[in-house]
Amino acid sequence: AALTELAEKSDLLTYEFENVDQDVLARVQKRTGVLVPQGVKLLTVTSNRINEKNFLRTHGLPTTDFAKVASPAELKVAVKELGFPAILKTVSGGYDGHGQWDINSEQDVKNMLEKWPKNLLAILEKRVDFVKEISVMVSRDNCDQVKLWPITENRHKNH
């Protein structure tokens, strides 16, 4: 309801964050006719960590090793395949450390299995040592003019 109200008062809607409900956005766009210049399809890739990693690999970009994890049994298999250290993340909805669990030992696996969240769909990612994480923001207007914004460094504590 709030998104519909916003759309009715706006010439266009944009998003800069992948945790936007694409189904709701598509319905609101159809109902109100509001312009969504980024489209909704982009969210199919960016809102799902498995889709995102597969998309990157398909386009020749490297990613850390990963495995889909939809059950405690699949976590055990994924850990055997990827090893330690790793991070278990929700496939969607998590951000800035929310929906993430360090998996650095058999004890971490045991602890996770004991408190397995109901209906968790996750991805286990092999931990990567890195110097820094950066973000690059790119925008395009309705005249296909592309603007690259300054590169920024992301700094995280505890994920």
Side-chain angles (χ1 to χ4, degrees):
L3 187 56
T4 298
E5 182 180 344
L6 177 64
E8 289 170 345
K9 295 178 180 179
S10 303
D11 293 325
L12 62 88
L13 296 177
T14 66
Y15 52 87
E16 61 85 31
F17 176 74
E18 68 274 7
N19 289 332
V20 176
D21 187 316
Q22 63 200 48
D23 295 330
V24 170
L25 183 58
R27 281 196 309 271
V28 167
Q29 181 184 22
K30 186 176 180 179
R31 183 179 311 137
T32 65
V34 70
L35 178 64
V36 180
Q38 293 156 282
V40 178
K41 289 182 190 176
L42 178 62
L43 290 169
T44 302
V45 173
T46 61
S47 67
N48 180 298
R49 288 187 171 96
I50 294 169
N51 291 349
E52 187 174 49
K53 286 209 175 7
N54 286 326
F55 176 87
L56 292 171
R57 285 185 171 182
T58 298
H59 290 85
L61 298 167
T63 72
T64 189
D65 292 334
F66 67 94
K68 178 182 171 185
V69 176
S71 69
E74 288 183 7
L75 176 61
K76 291 178 188 178
V77 171
V79 166
K80 285 181 183 171
E81 182 181 303
L82 299 178
F84 300 116
I87 303 174
L88 185 67
K89 299 178 178 180
T90 57
V91 166
S92 62
Y95 64 95
D96 295 341
H98 300 279
Q100 298 183 5
W101 302 269
D102 287 316
I103 306 293
N104 298 318
S105 67
E106 289 296 336
Q107 185 60 50
D108 290 339
V109 173
K110 182 180 176 193
N111 292 345
M112 192 68 211
L113 296 175
E114 289 173 358
K115 61 175 182 174
W116 191 262
K118 186 177 181 182
N119 300 321
L120 175 65
L121 178 57
I123 181 172
L124 186 69
E125 298 178 354
K126 181 123 181 103
R127 186 180 290 278
V128 175
D129 289 328
F130 59 90
V131 174
K132 67 175 74 174
E133 178 187 69
I134 62 169
S135 289
V136 178
M137 300 291 283
V138 180
S139 63
R140 180 175 51 214
D141 65 19
N142 287 341
C143 299
D144 280 341
Q145 297 296 310
V146 175
K147 178 168 177 133
L148 176 66
W149 298 90
I151 294 171
T152 59
E153 181 179 353
N154 304 317
R155 295 186 183 173
H156 301 278
K157 291 184 180 179
N158 302 320
H159 293 279

